[in-house]
């Protein structure tokens, strides 16, 4: 139960951090390109790579704290970091076909799902972008 509470609290903190950082970066740059989201995704990937390696190496940390940080805070900050870490792990294990497939399916199905969700909302509610 402690792990779930820590994940819950961490994801809330990560979401607030994502909102703040993304908004700040976006306001400081052009409005036509999602630089705020890009910054969050890159920072999240850097953080998950660094922290995962550190926690598996010489940095000793309790499991529930590791989970709160990696799954909670970074999961709330960006799930793109988990996608990056999992794809990197596949490539590092020389599972290149699976790594490439993960990229293609995640991006392809993700974009297709946004399109489908938009079309469904238009049909049900008459909403459109």
């Amino acid at each position: 139960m402690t792990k779930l509470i820590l994940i819950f609290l961490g994801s809330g903190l990560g979401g607030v951090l994502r909102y703040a950082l993304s908004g700040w970066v976006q306001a400081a740059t052009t409005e036509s390109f999602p630089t705020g989201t890009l910054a969050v995704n890159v920072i999240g990937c850097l953080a998950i790579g660094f922290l995962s390696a550190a926690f598996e190496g010489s940095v000793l940390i309790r499991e529930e704290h590791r989970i709160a940080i990696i799954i909670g805070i970074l999961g709330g900050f960006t799930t793109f970091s988990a996608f990056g870490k999992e794809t990197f792990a596949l490539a590092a294990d020389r599972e290149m076909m699976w790594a490439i497939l993960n990229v293609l399916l995640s991006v392809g199905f993700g974009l297709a799902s946004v399109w489908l969700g938009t079309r469904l909302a238009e049909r049900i509610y008459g909403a459109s972008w």
Side-chain angles (χ1 to χ4, degrees):
M1 187 61 153
T2 300
K3 290 178 189 177
L4 294 177
I5 293 169
L6 289 173
I7 291 169
F8 174 77
L9 295 172
S11 64
L13 175 61
V16 169
L17 290 172
R18 175 182 64 226
Y19 176 79
L21 180 64
S22 178
W24 179 77
V25 170
Q26 195 64 46
T29 60
T30 177
E31 292 182 18
S32 60
F33 186 82
T35 51
T37 300
L38 177 63
V40 165
N41 287 338
V42 170
I43 291 167
C45 287
L46 176 67
I48 203 169
F50 179 84
L51 293 173
S52 292
F55 293 163
E56 294 295 321
S58 61
V59 177
L60 297 177
I61 185 171
R62 292 174 51 177
E63 180 189 9
E64 59 268 20
H65 294 157
R66 180 184 55 81
I67 288 170
I69 294 167
I70 298 293
I71 296 172
I73 295 173
L74 289 178
F77 189 66
T78 174
T79 58
F80 192 79
S81 60
F83 163 76
K85 179 183 179 240
E86 291 164 354
T87 304
F88 180 80
L90 287 168
D93 290 342
R94 299 182 187 266
E95 297 284 352
M96 293 307 293
M97 186 178 88
W98 290 117
I100 292 167
L101 186 62
N102 189 41
V103 170
L104 294 174
L105 291 176
S106 294
V107 173
F109 281 133
L111 292 173
S113 295
V114 170
W115 175 84
L116 179 61
T118 302
R119 299 292 87 80
L120 287 171
E122 288 175 347
R123 182 169 290 251
I124 293 168
Y125 301 110
S128 64
W129 269 344

